[in-house]
Amino acid sequence: MRHFLTLRDFTKEEILEIIDTAIEIKKDLKAGIYKEQLKNQTLAMIFEKSSTRTRVSFETGMFQLGGHALFLSNRDIHLGRGEPVKDTARVISSMCDMVMIRTFEHSMIEEFASYSRVPVINGLTDSFHPVQLLADYMTMVEYGVADGAIVAYIGDGNNMTHSWLMLAAKLGFELRIATPKGYEVNRKILEVALKMAEESGAVITQTNDPKTAVRGATIVTTDTWASMGQEDEKEERIKAFSGYMVDDSMMDTAHSDARFLHCLPAYRGQEVSESVLEKHSEIVFNEAENRLHAQKGLMVWLDKKRER
Ligand code: CP
Ligand code: NVA
C-alpha cells in the first residue's frame, strides 16, 4: 500500500504513470465515459483549513469513479476536540477506503498515515501541496510545455514552492526560485531537492532577484504571499513582497511564449496583476480543472497498489 504525502516518495516513472492515467480519465470524461473504477469505495476528506478546489475536485472525482466522499471538517469530528490523530486514523481507516487530509503540520499526516490501514493523500500541509503539482504538471504536458521547461517561481518560499522543488528534482527540469530575503524556502527541503537533482539532472537555483529568475523562463508561476494560517502577517508580507508581483513587465522578461500558472486562489494586485491573470486565464482555469482529473488518476493508481 502507498500513501501520497510528498512527491519525494515517488519515482519519476510513477509520477508520469499517474499523469498518464489522469489524461486517459480526462479523455474518457470528455467523451461521456464514466468508468466506475472505485465503485462502492469511500474517501474520507478531513479539512482543517478552507478549500474550494480541493474539496470540489476530490468529492466530484470520487463520485464520478463510482464511490462516495465524506467531508469532515475539524468542527464536526472529534479530532478538532482533541481525539488523538492515531485513534482517528485507526477508526476512519477501518471504515473508509482512502483518506485525504488538509492540515497545518506535515507531521500530522505522517502520523495519521503511520496508523492508517488505507492510503492517505496530502491535500495540503504547511510544508507541501503535492496534488496541486500533479495538476500543474498534467497541464504542462497538455500544453506541450513540459519538455525542456524552465520554471520561474516568484514569491513566497512556501508549501507550493517546496512541491515545485520536489517535482523539478524528480523530473529533472530547471527551477528558479525568487523570494524576498527572509522568505526563502526551507533549507532542509532545498537540500533534499538538490541531492535528488544530482541524479535527475534538474537545475535548481534560488535568488532574491525576480528579474534574474524570470529571464527566459518558459513557465512563470507564483502563489499567495500569505498562506492559510498566516493571515496575521498579511500586511507585513505585502510590504516585504513589494516588487514581486508577476505583472506584464515581469512576463515580458520571460520567454516570448512563456505560460503563466497559478494554483489559485489568486490575489490580484498582490502576487499577480489582473492583466497577467486574465491574459493567461485559459491555462490557469484548465490547471484548476485538472485538479479533478489528476486526483482521479491518483486515486485509481493508489487503489491498484493496495493489497486487500
Ligand atoms: N489550489 C487549491 O488547493 O485550492 P483550494 O485551497 O481552493 O483547495
Ligand atoms: N500556499 C497556499 C496554497 C493555497 C492553495 C496556502 O497554503 O494557503
Side-chain angles (χ1 to χ4, degrees), residues 270-284:
Q270 293 181 28
E271 79 274 7
V272 61
S273 69
E274 169 78 18
S275 163
V276 167
L277 191 65
E278 290 306 329
K279 271 186 203 152
H280 294 267
S281 60
E282 204 260 340
I283 190 168
V284 167

Side-chain angles (χ1 to χ4, degrees), residues 49-119:
K49 289 177 173 174
S50 309
S51 167
T52 300
R53 282 142 288 267
T54 305
R55 177 181 177 179
V56 175
S57 53
F58 270 110
E59 192 162 333
T60 303
M62 198 58 185
F63 175 77
Q64 291 176 351
L65 290 167
H68 176 71
L70 291 170
F71 174 74
L72 307 169
S73 91
N74 59 342
R75 279 190 299 278
D76 308 314
I77 57 174
H78 284 283
L79 185 66
R81 296 180 62 242
E83 183 166 15
V85 170
K86 58 184 179 183
D87 292 359
T88 309
R90 284 178 284 197
V91 172
I92 291 182
S93 70
S94 71
M95 301 180 199
C96 297
D97 302 280
M98 238 173 253
V99 184
M100 184 242 86
I101 304 174
R102 169 167 284 199
T103 190
F104 293 86
E105 295 282 326
H106 191 74
S107 56
M108 182 274 191
I109 59 165
E110 286 176 337
E111 184 186 354
F112 195 109
S114 71
Y115 284 92
S116 175
R117 290 163 47 178
V118 300

Side-chain angles (χ1 to χ4, degrees), residues 124 129 158-159 223-224 227-228 263-265:
L124 182 146
H129 194 8
N158 63 13
N159 45 11
D223 182 22
T224 180
S227 287
M228 289 180 275
C263 65
L264 303 178

Side-chain angles (χ1 to χ4, degrees), residues 53-292:
R53 282 142 288 267
T54 305
R55 177 181 177 179
V56 175
S57 53
F58 270 110
E59 192 162 333
T60 303
M62 198 58 185
F63 175 77
Q64 291 176 351
L65 290 167
H68 176 71
L70 291 170
F71 174 74
L72 307 169
S73 91
N74 59 342
R75 279 190 299 278
D76 308 314
I77 57 174
H78 284 283
L79 185 66
R81 296 180 62 242
E83 183 166 15
V85 170
K86 58 184 179 183
D87 292 359
T88 309
R90 284 178 284 197
V91 172
I92 291 182
S93 70
S94 71
M95 301 180 199
C96 297
D97 302 280
M98 238 173 253
V99 184
M100 184 242 86
I101 304 174
R102 169 167 284 199
T103 190
F104 293 86
E105 295 282 326
H106 191 74
S107 56
M108 182 274 191
I109 59 165
E110 286 176 337
E111 184 186 354
F112 195 109
S114 71
Y115 284 92
S116 175
R117 290 163 47 178
V118 300
V120 175
I121 299 170
N122 178 357
L124 182 146
T125 64
D126 289 346
S127 307
F128 297 102
H129 194 8
V131 283
Q132 179 67 51
L133 269 290
L134 287 182
D136 292 3
Y137 194 70
M138 176 178 173
T139 309
M140 288 164 63
V141 172
E142 277 183 345
Y143 281 75
V145 293
D147 290 338
I150 302 173
V151 179
Y153 176 98
I154 311 298
D156 186 26
N158 63 13
N159 45 11
M160 277 300 298
T161 334
H162 295 154
S163 297
W164 273 108
L165 273 171
M166 291 297 129
L167 188 76
K170 281 287 173 180
L171 301 191
F173 59 82
E174 181 168 353
L175 175 66
R176 306 167 183 171
I177 298 168
T179 71
K181 279 203 171 62
Y183 294 92
E184 287 89 357
V185 298
N186 176 289
R187 199 144 36 92
K188 279 201 188 123
I189 296 174
L190 179 64
E191 274 165 20
V192 168
L194 291 173
K195 190 93 202 113
M196 293 189 323
E198 282 171 18
E199 217 176 288
S200 69
V203 178
I204 294 172
T205 51
Q206 192 172 216
T207 169
N208 300 120
D209 177 15
K211 284 269 157 93
T212 304
V214 96
R215 197 157 294 127
T218 58
I219 292 168
V220 181
T221 187
T222 183
D223 182 22
T224 180
W225 292 338
S227 287
M228 289 180 275
Q230 298 173 332
E231 288 77 9
D232 293 350
E233 298 171 30
K234 197 159 185 166
E235 290 315 310
E236 140 200 355
R237 281 172 170 267
I238 287 174
K239 281 191 205 124
F241 284 80
S242 157
Y244 280 77
M245 184 196 297
V246 179
D247 57 10
D248 287 313
S249 103
M250 188 96 82
M251 287 305 292
D252 287 345
T253 314
H255 190 279
S256 52
D257 294 328
R259 301 285 193 165
F260 173 74
L261 292 177
H262 195 308
C263 65
L264 303 178
Y267 297 88
R268 292 162 166 87
Q270 293 181 28
E271 79 274 7
V272 61
S273 69
E274 169 78 18
S275 163
V276 167
L277 191 65
E278 290 306 329
K279 271 186 203 152
H280 294 267
S281 60
E282 204 260 340
I283 190 168
V284 167
F285 288 98
N286 226 315
E287 178 190 2
E289 181 193 318
N290 281 340
R291 292 292 303 278
L292 170 69

